[in-house]
Amino acid sequence: MNSNDDRINYLDHAATTPMRNEVLEKMLPYFTEKFGNPSSLYSLAGEARYGVDAAREQVAQVINSRENEIVFTGSGSESNNTAIKGTASAREMRKGHIITTSIEHHAVIHPIEQLEKLGYDATYIGVDNTGLVDPEEFASAVRPDTFLASVMLVNNEIGTIQPVRHIADLTRQSAISCGADVLIHTDAVQAAGKISLDVDELGVDMMSLSGHKIYGPKGAGVLFVRRGVVLDPLISGGGQERQRRSGTENVASIVGLGEALILSESERLSNRSRMQRLSNRLVKGIIEKIPDAIIDDKRLSHVPEIINVSFPGVEGESILLGLDFKGIAASSGSACSSASVEPSHVLLALGQAPALAVGSVRFSLGRHTTDEDITDVLKALPLVLKQLRAFPSST
Ligand SMILES: Cc1ncc(COP(=O)(O)O)c(C=O)c1O
């Protein structure tokens, strides 16, 4: 995709992705001829039930779990909320303590803040200036009443990969020594299709996924819940999803999510070197062309797809408008908060000054990104910045 034609150079795959045709084709019959309610008894319903069961098998295969450990939800946000509020609620009157990090997505931070208002306690572990959590510091926050630790696998704004396994191991050791029973949850919404989601290798008890970040449908999520975890449902009613998420199943979207996950996993390793090469070109090009850009050029524990760069003295929103004018779609901070000019909590947690953090832009690459797209950005970005710096009030 390039700016010489009328197509968009889409570099905002961490916000959402275009649905794959293969996924859409799998979904379509479930809107029409296979429209039955999976809970009904006749054969029409059986087709819908088969669709949901097959998707459950696909997800279980990719994350190396049992099928009955998969709960389909309405989004990645719902999965996170279910993991956090569901385990808190299952403690009944005991309240308790949660450990998380200061760079989680708002779909983790806000439910924890809600629980704090109800009398639960939370510790937010900071990160170093590359965005990594220190596993020892994380584990040392365990208290006898800690019941949940939630740490994201890949950050949606800066692309860092947390050492989830190491954090989980140390947290469990700490839990044993202080007599706590701690469940480990990971928000892997941005990790799918990029790194392994094997729940045993990751050492997690719960894991959240979302369909629309992997070329699948929006409004479809997964929560992996390891056997034995006690969790109250967020939505009660007809008892679907083994009592964990009531509501008639969104069959077409569940089918789409399963297919999207299988496809993204099957291409994950073969995409790696192309993504790394394109990402390196973009980072190197920005450093060469815009010497005052603030960018983590080492990117040691990072997915290549997500690149965050801050430009001193310019607002990210203005840069986005300038890029949009040139046919390039990127993002400043996370998509959900891009309507506000508040600096991103993630960049502040890295130690960036608020004035610099508001000048940040996130480029996120995807399966359709080409060398030509990168060339276009490297051409457009210096021009946009030059214009904004020459006429700071023009936006
Ligand atoms: C890390 C992370 N967690 C959770 C979510 C929420 O997922 P959904 O949009 O499916 O609610 C997002 C979406 O941006 C995300 O990036």
Side-chain angles (χ1 to χ4, degrees):
M1 288 187 254
N2 67 62
S3 58
N4 298 327
D5 54 38
D6 55 5
R7 283 174 301 158
I8 287 179
N9 180 350
Y10 185 75
L11 292 173
D12 202 14
H13 292 83
T16 196
T17 54
M19 189 140 72
R20 299 173 73 127
N21 286 334
E22 306 97 301
V23 171
L24 178 64
E25 269 164 34
K26 282 264 177 178
M27 289 172 67
L28 284 175
Y30 293 92
F31 290 109
T32 51
E33 69 262 32
K34 298 184 183 180
F35 68 89
N37 183 328
S39 300
S40 301
L41 290 177
Y42 35 78
S43 46
L44 175 70
E47 286 182 330
R49 197 161 48 244
Y50 174 79
V52 172
D53 288 348
R56 205 182 300 284
E57 259 178 59
Q58 288 174 312
V59 176
Q61 184 188 322
V62 170
I63 73 169
N64 186 26
S65 75
R66 298 180 182 89
E67 283 147 38
N68 60 15
E69 293 173 318
I70 305 298
V71 179
F72 288 115
T73 67
S75 61
S77 299
E78 188 189 319
S79 301
N80 286 341
N81 273 261
T82 305
I84 294 161
K85 294 178 184 166
T87 51
S89 160
R91 292 174 59 78
E92 296 167 353
M93 306 307 288
R94 281 179 294 158
K95 308 286 188 220
H97 173 239
I98 301 174
I99 310 170
T100 190
T101 81
S102 52
I103 62 162
E104 298 298 307
H105 191 273
H106 283 143
V108 164
I109 292 189
H110 289 166
I112 294 177
E113 286 173 350
Q114 277 183 288
L115 290 176
E116 284 182 280
K117 286 193 195 138
L118 296 175
Y120 292 79
D121 253 359
T123 303
Y124 299 84
I125 304 295
V127 290
D128 66 15
N129 62 3
T130 68
L132 284 175
V133 173
D134 173 358
E136 285 180 9
E137 186 189 348
F138 191 98
S140 70
V142 174
R143 315 189 313 208
D145 64 339
T146 306
F147 64 93
L148 179 67
S150 181
V151 56
M152 72 199 317
L153 190 47
V154 170
N155 181 273
N156 48 302
E157 292 188 42
I158 54 176
T160 40
I161 307 168
Q162 297 301 337
V164 168
R165 176 60 194 248
H166 192 191
I167 292 172
D169 285 349
L170 294 190
T171 300
R172 285 202 179 89
Q173 278 168 26
S174 274
I176 291 169
S177 44
C178 66
D181 199 1
V182 184
L183 295 169
I184 314 281
H185 166 251
T186 190
D187 174 348
V189 164
Q190 293 287 347
K194 301 187 181 94
I195 58 179
S196 167
L197 297 175
D198 184 315
V199 288
D200 286 347
E201 279 173 15
L202 289 168
V204 295
D205 300 301
M206 293 180 285
M207 180 170 78
S208 305
L209 299 171
S210 173
H212 73 108
K213 311 288 187 184
I214 49 170
Y215 308 88
K218 295 175 179 59
V222 165
L223 180 64
F224 156 74
V225 184
R226 195 177 285 283
R227 189 154 72 177
V229 169
V230 183
L231 178 101
D232 279 352
L234 214 56
I235 302 175
S236 352
Q240 287 88 347
E241 296 299 290
R242 300 166 65 85
Q243 309 287 339
R244 285 187 155 149
R245 203 281 187 174
S246 286
T248 301
E249 297 86 342
N250 183 353
V251 179
S253 290
I254 289 171
V255 167
L257 190 159
E259 188 67 15
L261 191 62
I262 280 281
L263 290 170
S264 66
E265 179 62 16
S266 69
E267 292 170 3
R268 183 168 63 83
L269 295 176
S270 55
N271 277 342
R272 221 70 311 252
S273 59
R274 201 177 74 85
M275 282 300 148
Q276 193 66 62
R277 189 180 58 73
L278 292 173
S279 177
N280 290 349
R281 251 199 81 204
L282 183 57
V283 171
K284 194 162 163 271
I286 291 175
I287 292 170
E288 270 169 23
K289 289 177 187 265
I290 308 158
D292 66 347
I294 312 288
I295 191 164
D296 175 8
D297 58 341
K298 296 192 191 64
R299 299 169 53 77
L300 290 177
S301 180
H302 263 86
V303 294
E305 287 88 345
I306 300 179
I307 296 153
N308 199 297
V309 51
S310 296
F311 302 99
V314 194
E315 272 195 6
E317 307 290 309
S318 310
I319 302 170
L320 293 189
L321 292 176
L323 289 175
D324 185 37
F325 193 68
K326 294 181 180 299
I328 298 166
S331 156
S332 68
S334 68
C336 330
S337 57
S338 65
S340 86
V341 285
E342 290 290 302
S344 136
H345 68 285
V346 175
L347 298 181
L348 296 183
L350 298 187
Q352 273 198 12
L356 181 60
V358 293
S360 89
V361 174
R362 175 187 71 186
F363 296 101
S364 45
L365 319 186
R367 55 194 293 268
H368 300 295
T369 306
T370 61
D371 267 301
E372 212 182 348
D373 293 336
I374 304 297
T375 304
D376 276 354
V377 177
L378 293 175
K379 249 191 240 157
L381 199 52
L383 295 176
V384 169
L385 284 163
K386 195 170 161 197
Q387 212 167 18
L388 289 171
R389 285 176 168 157
F391 305 103
S393 58
S394 66
T395 53

